């Protein structure tokens, strides 16, 4: 990956086993252009490959996680050019990370911003978060999974309401609808996010990778097949050192020391 210091649209930091990627285009409310995509994916995949990292946080500023794809960059695109360059297809790579990805939204998460937030495994929102898919107001539709992931998260009728009217919903409605994992106070938001991330990063990485894979499988398989695969994966974890360590630590009333193997 490009050296971390050469990133221009994001900032990265590491605290213990938690890596944080912060989208940083304040003048455009963190609108997602091609450079943001390249840098976020490069940083996330770099952290994913780093065995010292147990959780990745993707966040923005207090005012905006991201106000959508960069409309000024998209404005002059035409078909088939947009298709041939496979614009924005690579955002999907975030859904394939093995390391748990926590998306932390304060302020606007609109259009592509909402879709990127939904690529995470855990979605944390500050009380100021505003979610929406306003593409319809631009004469287009969501194109990075909004019609699919939002519908799976909140159901057909709430998704249609948001996608057909372009309205935004606040954090409280988003939590009630099943879009967000937790709503946290605006003050100290990033600190609380870090606590959740540290908690996840403190687990066996073999177990977290298996858990995220299996929960994601719930969207792709039938119940019978999903439950069968879960059981196989569960059995397979009994071949890991971390299963022995976790259970021994419980029985002997001590903290486990994960080997991630
Ligand atoms: N793109 C470019 N610039 C943006 C932007 C955006 N999405 N959102 C905000 N900005 C810029 C504004 O133009 C303004 O820049 P200057 O005029 O100062 O140069 C600056 O950020 C501050 O914005 P405002 O002055 O508008 O700030 P306000 O607080 O008044 O309003 C707002 C905040 C978030 C309500 C407003 O900025 C807004 O409505 N923004 C647009 C929201 C939106 O429509 N988002 C959806 C974009 S469409 C694809 C897949 C998916 C997509 C695209 C392609 N492919 C597979 C190819 C996704 C599409 C989208 O996300």
């Amino acid at each position: 990956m490009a050296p971390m210091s050469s990133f221009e649209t994001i900032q990265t930091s590491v605290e213990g086993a938690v890596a944080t990627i912060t989208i940083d285009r304040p003048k455009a409310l963190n609108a997602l252009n091609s450079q943001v995509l390249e840098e976020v994916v490069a940083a996330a995949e770099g952290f994913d490959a780093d065995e010292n990292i147990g959780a990745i946080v993707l966040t923005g500023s207090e005012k905006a996680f991201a106000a959508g794809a960069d409309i000024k960059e998209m404005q002059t695109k035409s078909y088939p050019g947009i298709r041939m360059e496979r614009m924005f297809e690579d955002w999907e790579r975030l859904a394939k990370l093995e390391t748990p990805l926590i998306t932390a939204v304060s302020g606007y998460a609109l259009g592509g911003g909402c879709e990127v937030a939904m690529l995470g495994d855990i979605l944390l929102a500050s009380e100021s978060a505003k979610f929406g898919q306003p593409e319809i107001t631009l004469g287009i539709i969501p194109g990075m999974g909004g019609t699919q992931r939002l519908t799976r998260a909140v159901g057909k009728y709430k998704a249609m309401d948001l996608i057909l009217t372009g309205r935004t919903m606040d954090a409280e409605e988003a939590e009630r609808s099943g879009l967000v994992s937790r709503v946290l106070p605006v003050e100290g938001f990033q600190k609380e996010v870090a606590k959740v991330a540290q908690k996840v990063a403190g687990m066996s990485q073999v177990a977290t990778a298996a858990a995220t894979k299996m929960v994601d499988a719930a969207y792709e398989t039938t119940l019978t097949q999903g439950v069968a695969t879960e059981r196989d994966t569960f059995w397979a974890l009994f071949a890991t050192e971390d299963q022995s360590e976790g259970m021994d630590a419980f029985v002997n009333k001590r903290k486990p020391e994960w080997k991630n193997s």
Side-chain angles (χ1 to χ4, degrees):
M1 108 171 128
M4 299 275 185
S5 56
S6 69
F7 292 141
E8 290 172 351
T9 65
I10 62 169
Q11 309 220 8
T12 61
S13 62
V14 173
E15 180 92 39
V18 174
T20 299
I21 302 169
T22 306
I23 305 171
D24 187 24
R25 285 190 78 207
K27 287 189 184 142
L29 295 184
N30 287 344
L32 307 169
N33 62 13
S34 306
Q35 190 179 359
V36 177
L37 161 62
E38 263 167 46
E39 294 186 357
V40 169
V41 170
E45 289 183 346
F47 289 131
D48 194 34
D50 183 342
E51 61 188 26
N52 297 311
I53 299 298
I56 302 170
V57 174
L58 176 60
T59 192
S61 68
E62 195 174 317
K63 179 148 193 219
F65 175 77
D70 191 317
I71 300 168
K72 292 165 190 167
E73 184 185 57
M74 272 190 302
Q75 186 184 9
T76 54
K77 301 272 183 199
S78 62
Y79 192 85
I82 192 169
R83 191 212 179 286
M84 296 312 285
E85 74 175 81
R86 308 186 83 99
M87 189 190 181
F88 280 6
E89 192 173 68
D90 281 348
W91 278 113
E92 204 56 29
R93 283 158 67 172
L94 293 186
K96 299 192 170 67
L97 303 174
E98 285 241 310
T99 311
L101 176 67
I102 296 169
T103 48
V105 173
S106 197
Y108 296 110
L110 304 179
C114 186
E115 291 169 308
V116 169
M118 290 190 290
L119 290 169
D121 300 305
I122 293 179
L123 202 172
L124 300 174
S126 90
E127 284 162 344
S128 76
K130 290 185 190 65
F131 298 89
Q133 298 287 165
E135 289 88 344
I136 202 88
T137 67
L138 299 168
I140 55 171
I141 65 167
M144 279 154 53
T147 61
Q148 303 303 300
R149 290 199 172 89
L150 185 65
T151 305
R152 281 164 164 81
V154 305
K156 170 178 168 178
Y157 299 101
K158 182 71 77 177
M160 285 286 194
D161 175 8
L162 292 164
I163 289 167
L164 291 177
T165 68
R167 78 172 176 92
T168 58
M169 69 176 168
D170 63 17
E172 194 271 319
E173 182 182 0
E175 186 183 38
R176 182 161 29 93
S177 308
L179 178 61
V180 308
S181 312
R182 303 188 204 175
V183 179
L184 301 165
V186 178
E187 201 170 307
F189 177 60
Q190 295 297 346
K191 269 200 185 139
E192 290 306 309
V193 168
K195 276 190 207 160
V196 177
Q198 293 291 357
K199 178 120 191 161
V200 173
M203 305 299 173
S204 157
Q205 290 180 23
V206 186
T208 58
T212 54
K213 202 168 180 173
M214 283 316 309
V215 175
D216 282 340
Y219 286 108
E220 309 283 350
T221 57
T222 63
L223 182 62
T224 305
Q225 206 177 355
V227 169
T229 312
E230 180 196 71
R231 194 182 310 114
D232 277 341
T233 307
F234 179 89
W235 283 334
L237 287 173
F238 280 69
T240 67
E241 287 188 75
D242 285 350
Q243 173 270 326
S244 311
E245 171 63 11
M247 294 191 181
D248 186 73
F250 175 81
V251 170
N252 290 298
K253 302 187 190 300
R254 62 177 178 82
K255 230 176 151 259
E257 284 178 35
W258 306 120
K259 308 279 187 299
N260 296 327
S261 73

